[in-house]
Amino acid sequence: MVGKQFFINRFNKHKRFSWEESEYIGTPCWIRDIFKKEDFDEAIRAPFEDTEVWIPKNYDSILRMAYGDYMKLPPEDKRVPHHDYSAYRKVN
């Protein structure tokens, strides 16, 4: 078992640019997700289920970069999970 500091150290070992000098940002886990830093400059509140959450003002640009036309459902045969693990457990 490792703690969060393990991952912070690992991430910092591969960090190449400071936040100020970077034009793009990404997630250390999924390197394919690289976004324009400016898309995260402002946040807005948006409804989510029975509450409101903060989201980037340029959420449309971010979602299109990550998923393409995210408002269109993929064909039924392509609607499969993309995780290597179960994030839930079945309750009877």
Side-chain angles (χ1 to χ4, degrees), residues 55-84:
I55 62 171
K57 184 176 181 181
N58 291 340
Y59 66 90
D60 184 70
S61 173
I62 295 164
L63 291 172
R64 288 187 187 283
M65 174 94 74
Y67 303 108
D69 188 358
Y70 67 94
M71 295 299 285
K72 182 180 175 188
L73 283 172
E76 230 174 291
D77 62 328
K78 303 277 189 209
R79 297 179 199 174
V80 296
H82 298 282
H83 296 287
D84 295 335

Side-chain angles (χ1 to χ4, degrees), residues 19-65:
W19 176 265
E20 293 74 24
E21 65 183 338
S22 297
E23 185 178 343
Y24 295 91
I25 59 173
T27 57
C29 298
W30 299 280
I31 211 67
R32 68 176 181 84
D33 294 336
I34 298 173
F35 306 100
K36 290 182 180 179
K37 183 175 72 172
E38 68 188 29
D39 285 339
F40 294 87
D41 285 346
E42 293 182 57
I44 59 172
R45 291 185 65 83
F48 179 75
E49 295 184 357
D50 61 349
T51 190
E52 284 190 344
V53 295
W54 287 101
I55 62 171
K57 184 176 181 181
N58 291 340
Y59 66 90
D60 184 70
S61 173
I62 295 164
L63 291 172
R64 288 187 187 283
M65 174 94 74

Side-chain angles (χ1 to χ4, degrees), residues 2 4-15 28:
V2 295
K4 71 177 181 180
Q5 194 59 47
F6 170 83
F7 294 102
I8 292 170
N9 292 342
R10 201 159 176 200
F11 174 72
N12 285 335
K13 186 171 113 178
H14 298 287
K15 192 165 101 172

